[in-house]
């Protein structure tokens, strides 16, 4: 009886299933984790509503196209326009908040977050579109299966890589030579005050990031990526720092001869295991990832020397 | 670019020139003045050597 009804009202089923799965994709990708964003209820409501709208737009387009109403596709471009606005909104909010952070996220990290927010909405549209398509094409049960498959696929694609994929993270001792602070053999900074030196030696944790290949060297040298590491560790473990204490500064410096990255963090809570894990789990920023080896290989293939 | 906003030293003959110069009695006094300047100016104190500090605005 129920199944018969679903067959009889194919278009309605397509729209409802499509919207539901589009929304479901957005819900599963809405993270409230240590980054605390968007953890506040209002942020969540904004993104859930947009997810619903994305799902609805994606699924409604399909029955329209089946009825040879081809202008329906312009609907989707309208949606794209809307979601570019989402990216702007995220960027503006985060940039405004960033000025008030003890350890700012940095422009590259903010841009990365904003892009992800936009991308998630497109995935919601795509899921809704394909689900709705299969319902109309074959039947509601195929739509259901495709929806579930896409749910898994979308989450898989949005995972992204982490620092641990491109670099070996090692804890390294901090040492002072006069006023000069080193982590391992990487020079960090000159600390003038005895008081600051004591605090850094007591509370600081040092890490050395060794890039796994030449591409990784370029990526961890990126200033935005370094700032993201400092911000994430400071968010997870707190930071021993205040406005007006410029010498207590978590810092990341490159050992130029080796390409290794030396990092000093000053956590509120000196838990080396957690600090180690949080450095490893920092997301790789899209803006920082470079593939120079691939680019060079291609260019030599195109122009043989001699 | 960073800017030197002050110089603190215990040796008068070490220094001269444009930035404000403060003379300290001894090394403990020098640490104290550098500490004060760091907090007040929100600038970092860097040690050139034990007897000469520069206060640098990195912003």
């Amino acid at each position: 009886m129920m199944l018969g009804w679903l067959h009889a009202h194919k278009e309605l089923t397509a729209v409802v299933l499509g919207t539901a799965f589009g929304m479901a994709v957005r819900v599963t990708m809405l993270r409230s984790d240590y980054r605390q964003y968007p953890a506040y209820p209002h942020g969540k409501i904004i993104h859930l509503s947009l997810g619903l709208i994305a799902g609805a737009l994606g699924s409604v387009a399909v029955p329209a196209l089946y009825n040879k109403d081809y202008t329906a596709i312009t609907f989707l471009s309208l949606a794209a326009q809307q979601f570019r606005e989402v990216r702007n909104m995220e960027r503006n909010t985060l940039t405004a908040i960033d000025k008030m952070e003890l350890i700012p996220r940095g422009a590259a990290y903010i841009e990365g977050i904003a892009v992800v927010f936009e991308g998630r909405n497109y995935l919601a549209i795509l899921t809704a579109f394909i689900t709705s398509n299969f319902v109309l094409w074959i039947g509601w049960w195929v739509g259901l299966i495709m929806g579930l498959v896409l749910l898994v696929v979308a989450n898989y694609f949005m995972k992204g890589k982490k620092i641990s994929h491109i670099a070996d993270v090692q804890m390294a001792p901090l040492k002072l030579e006069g006023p000069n602070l080193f982590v391992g053999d990487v020079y960090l900074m000159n600390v003038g005050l005895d008081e600051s030196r004591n605090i850094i030696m007591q509370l600081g944790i040092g890490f050395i990031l060794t890039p796994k290949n030449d591409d990784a060297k370029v990526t961890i040298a990126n200033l935005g990526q370094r700032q993201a590491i400092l911000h994430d560790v400071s968010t997870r473990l707190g930071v021993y720092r205040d406005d007006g204490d410029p010498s207590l500064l978590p810092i990341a410096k490159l050992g130029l001869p080796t390409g290794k990255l030396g990092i000093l963090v000053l956590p509120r809570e000196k838990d080396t295991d957690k600090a180690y894990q949080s450095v490893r789990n920092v997301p790789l920023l899209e803006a920082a990832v470079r593939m120079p080896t691939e680019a060079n290989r291609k260019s030599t293939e195109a122009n043989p020397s001699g | 670019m960073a800017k030197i906003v002050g110089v603190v030293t215990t040796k008068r003959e070490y220094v001269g020139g444009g930035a404000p110069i403060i003379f300290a009695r001894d090394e403990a006094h020098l640490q104290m003045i550098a500490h004060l300047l760091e907090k007040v100016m929100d600038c970092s104190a860097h040690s050139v050597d034990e007897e000469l500090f520069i206060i640098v605005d990195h912003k």
Side-chain angles (χ1 to χ4, degrees), chain A residues 17 25 27 58 61 87-88 119 124 127 137 145 149 151-152 159 167 178-179 183 187 193 204 233-234 237 289 297:
Chain A
L17 260 187
V25 164
V27 171
R87 180 158 151 192
N88 270 333
T127 307
W137 187 28
I145 294 168
V149 170
L151 204 64
V152 176
K159 272 233 166 69
V183 53
Y187 172 79
L193 298 181
V233 179
S234 305
L237 295 171
V289 174
R297 185 166 52 76

Coordinates of all heavy atoms in Angstrom, one line a residue, chain A residues 17 25 27 58 61 87-88 119 124 127 137 145 149 151-152 159 167 178-179 183 187 193 204 233-234 237 289 297:
Chain A
L17 N 13.1 12.5 -0.9 CA 14.3 11.7 -0.6 C 15.6 12.5 -0.9 O 16.5 12.5 -0.1 CB 14.3 10.4 -1.5 CG 13.9 9.1 -0.8 CD1 14.1 8.0 -1.8 CD2 14.6 8.9 0.5
V25 N 23.7 14.8 4.4 CA 25.1 15.0 4.1 C 25.6 16.2 4.9 O 26.7 16.2 5.5 CB 25.3 15.2 2.6 CG1 26.7 15.8 2.3 CG2 25.2 13.9 1.9
V27 N 24.4 17.5 7.6 CA 24.4 17.3 9.1 C 25.6 16.4 9.4 O 26.3 16.8 10.4 CB 23.1 16.5 9.5 CG1 23.2 16.1 10.9 CG2 21.9 17.4 9.3
G58 N 18.8 21.0 -5.1 CA 19.3 19.9 -5.9 C 18.2 18.9 -6.3 O 18.2 18.5 -7.5
A61 N 15.4 20.3 -8.9 CA 15.8 20.5 -10.3 C 15.5 19.3 -11.2 O 15.2 19.4 -12.4 CB 17.2 20.8 -10.4
R87 N 30.6 31.5 1.8 CA 32.1 31.6 1.9 C 32.5 33.0 2.4 O 33.3 33.1 3.3 CB 32.7 31.3 0.6 CG 34.2 31.3 0.5 CD 34.6 30.5 -0.6 NE 35.8 30.9 -1.2 CZ 36.3 30.4 -2.4 NH1 35.5 29.6 -3.1 NH2 37.4 30.8 -2.9
N88 N 31.9 34.0 1.8 CA 32.2 35.4 2.2 C 31.9 35.6 3.7 O 32.6 36.2 4.4 CB 31.4 36.3 1.4 CG 32.1 36.7 0.1 OD1 33.4 36.7 0.1 ND2 31.4 37.1 -0.9
G119 N 32.1 24.3 0.0 CA 32.2 23.0 -0.6 C 31.2 22.0 -0.1 O 30.6 21.2 -0.8
A124 N 26.1 18.7 -0.7 CA 24.7 18.5 -0.4 C 23.8 18.6 -1.6 O 22.9 17.7 -1.8 CB 24.2 19.5 0.7
T127 N 24.5 15.4 -3.8 CA 23.8 14.3 -3.3 C 22.3 14.3 -3.6 O 21.8 13.3 -4.0 CB 24.0 14.2 -1.8 OG1 25.4 14.3 -1.5 CG2 23.5 12.9 -1.2
W137 N 14.4 7.8 -12.2 CA 14.8 7.0 -13.3 C 14.5 5.5 -13.1 O 13.9 4.9 -13.9 CB 16.4 7.2 -13.4 CG 17.0 6.5 -14.6 CD1 16.4 6.2 -15.8 CD2 18.3 6.0 -14.6 NE1 17.3 5.6 -16.6 CE2 18.5 5.5 -15.9 CE3 19.4 6.0 -13.8 CZ2 19.7 4.9 -16.4 CZ3 20.6 5.4 -14.2 CH2 20.7 4.9 -15.5
I145 N 19.4 3.7 -1.8 CA 20.7 3.1 -1.8 C 21.8 4.1 -2.2 O 22.8 4.3 -1.6 CB 20.8 1.8 -2.7 CG1 19.9 0.7 -2.1 CG2 22.2 1.3 -2.8 CD1 19.6 -0.4 -3.0
V149 N 25.0 5.6 -0.2 CA 26.4 5.5 -0.8 C 27.0 6.8 -0.9 O 28.2 7.0 -0.4 CB 26.4 4.8 -2.2 CG1 27.7 4.9 -2.9 CG2 25.9 3.4 -2.1
L151 N 26.4 9.4 0.9 CA 26.6 9.9 2.2 C 28.0 9.5 2.7 O 28.8 10.3 3.2 CB 25.6 9.3 3.2 CG 25.2 10.1 4.4 CD1 24.6 11.4 4.1 CD2 24.3 9.2 5.3
V152 N 28.3 8.2 2.4 CA 29.6 7.7 2.8 C 30.7 8.4 1.9 O 31.8 8.8 2.4 CB 29.7 6.2 2.6 CG1 31.1 5.7 2.9 CG2 28.7 5.5 3.5
K159 N 37.3 14.5 4.1 CA 38.2 14.2 5.3 C 39.4 15.1 5.2 O 39.8 15.7 6.2 CB 38.6 12.8 5.3 CG 37.6 11.9 6.1 CD 38.3 11.1 7.1 CE 37.4 10.5 8.1 NZ 36.5 9.4 7.5
A167 N 54.7 14.9 7.1 CA 55.9 15.2 7.9 C 56.0 14.3 9.1 O 54.9 13.9 9.7 CB 56.0 16.6 8.4
G178 N 73.0 31.3 25.9 CA 72.8 32.7 26.2 C 71.4 33.1 26.0 O 70.5 32.4 26.5
P179 N 71.1 34.1 25.3 CA 69.7 34.5 25.1 C 69.0 33.8 23.9 O 67.9 33.9 23.7 CB 69.8 36.0 24.8 CG 71.1 36.1 24.1 CD 72.0 35.1 24.7
V183 N 65.3 24.8 19.3 CA 64.6 23.6 19.5 C 65.4 22.6 18.6 O 65.5 22.8 17.4 CB 63.1 23.6 19.2 CG1 62.8 24.2 17.8 CG2 62.5 22.3 19.3
Y187 N 67.2 27.3 15.2 CA 67.2 28.6 15.9 C 65.8 29.1 15.9 O 65.1 29.2 14.9 CB 68.2 29.6 15.3 CG 68.1 31.0 15.9 CD1 68.7 31.2 17.1 CD2 67.4 32.0 15.3 CE1 68.6 32.5 17.7 CE2 67.2 33.2 15.8 CZ 67.9 33.5 17.0 OH 67.8 34.7 17.6
L193 N 64.7 38.6 28.5 CA 64.5 38.6 29.9 C 64.7 37.2 30.6 O 64.2 36.2 30.0 CB 63.0 39.0 30.2 CG 62.7 40.4 29.7 CD1 61.2 40.8 30.0 CD2 63.6 41.5 30.3
G204 N 57.5 25.3 28.0 CA 57.5 25.1 26.6 C 57.7 23.7 26.2 O 58.3 22.9 26.9
V233 N 47.2 24.0 18.2 CA 47.8 23.5 19.4 C 47.4 24.4 20.6 O 47.0 23.9 21.6 CB 49.3 23.4 19.3 CG1 49.9 22.9 20.6 CG2 49.8 22.5 18.2
S234 N 47.4 25.7 20.3 CA 47.0 26.6 21.4 C 45.6 26.5 21.7 O 45.2 26.7 22.9 CB 47.3 28.1 20.9 OG 48.7 28.2 20.6
L237 N 45.3 23.0 23.8 CA 46.0 22.9 25.1 C 46.0 24.2 25.9 O 46.6 24.3 27.0 CB 47.4 22.4 24.9 CG 47.5 21.0 24.4 CD1 48.9 20.7 24.0 CD2 47.0 20.0 25.4
V289 N 49.4 23.6 0.2 CA 49.9 22.4 -0.5 C 50.4 22.8 -1.9 O 49.7 23.4 -2.7 CB 48.8 21.4 -0.6 CG1 49.2 20.2 -1.5 CG2 48.3 20.9 0.7
R297 N 58.4 17.8 -13.1 CA 58.5 16.6 -14.0 C 57.7 16.8 -15.3 O 58.2 16.6 -16.4 CB 57.9 15.4 -13.2 CG 58.0 14.1 -13.9 CD 57.7 12.9 -13.0 NE 56.4 13.1 -12.3 CZ 55.2 12.9 -12.9 NH1 55.2 12.6 -14.1 NH2 54.1 13.1 -12.2

